[in-house]
């Protein structure tokens, strides 16, 4: 099983976004950063660079790039695209997350405590 995958709808949307990016051989970089209401936050970007230590997975015709620090928290995850009343965007279905908030943009794992001062909030707490 690949380290990270993308859903069929996510791949469909990513294909259009990548085609319009003007970057040759670009992929979707998925990364983790500190912050958010649960301790970690997902980030995504169109990237045409492959960095040392990157995990690179091709799924459904899409190149997914994950840095060496983020892959430990993303292993087994699926990138998806969701549409709602606020528009749409990419999200991550992460089996490693033990709790999430911020409409799935923020999460934590059992092995990681929330950073000091970070509260728990739902989708509407921005």
């Amino acid at each position: 099983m690949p380290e990270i995958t993308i859903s069929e709808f996510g791949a469909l949307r990513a294909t259009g976004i990548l085609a319009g990016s003007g970057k040759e051989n670009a992929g979707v970089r998925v990364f983790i950063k500190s912050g958010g209401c649960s301790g970690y936050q997902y980030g995504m970007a169109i990237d045409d660079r492959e960095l040392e230590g990157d995990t690179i997975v091709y799924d459904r015709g899409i190149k997914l790039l994950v840095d060496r620090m983020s892959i430990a928290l993303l292993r087994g995850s699926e990138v998806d695209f969701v549409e709602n009343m606020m528009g749409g965007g990419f999200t991550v279905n992460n089996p490693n997350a033990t709790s999430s908030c911020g409409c799935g943009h923020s999460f934590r794992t059992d092995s990681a405590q929330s950073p000091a001062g970070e509260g728990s909030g739902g989708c509407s707490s921005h």
Side-chain angles (χ1 to χ4, degrees), residues 18-103:
L18 289 166
S21 73
K23 295 181 178 180
E24 269 189 58
N25 197 31
V28 177
R29 178 169 295 281
V30 185
F31 56 92
I32 301 296
K33 55 188 176 180
S34 293
C37 44
S38 286
Y40 294 113
Q41 221 170 346
Y42 299 110
M44 289 186 218
I46 303 303
D47 199 348
D48 57 359
R49 298 166 302 141
E50 294 178 7
L51 305 175
E52 187 178 334
D54 276 353
T55 294
I56 300 168
V57 173
Y58 292 87
D59 189 33
R60 300 180 195 263
I62 302 298
K63 178 167 64 171
L64 299 167
L65 305 112
V66 185
D67 66 83
R68 68 166 56 123
M69 298 297 282
S70 298
I71 194 63
L73 295 171
L74 287 168
R75 193 164 279 121
S77 295
E78 180 189 57
V79 176
D80 196 6
F81 192 91
V82 293
E83 291 181 342
N84 55 38
M85 294 184 334
M86 299 297 287
F90 287 98
T91 187
V92 177
N93 298 319
N94 188 345
N96 305 303
T98 55
S99 70
S100 64
C101 63
C103 301

Side-chain angles (χ1 to χ4, degrees), residues 114-119:
S114 294
E118 294 290 343

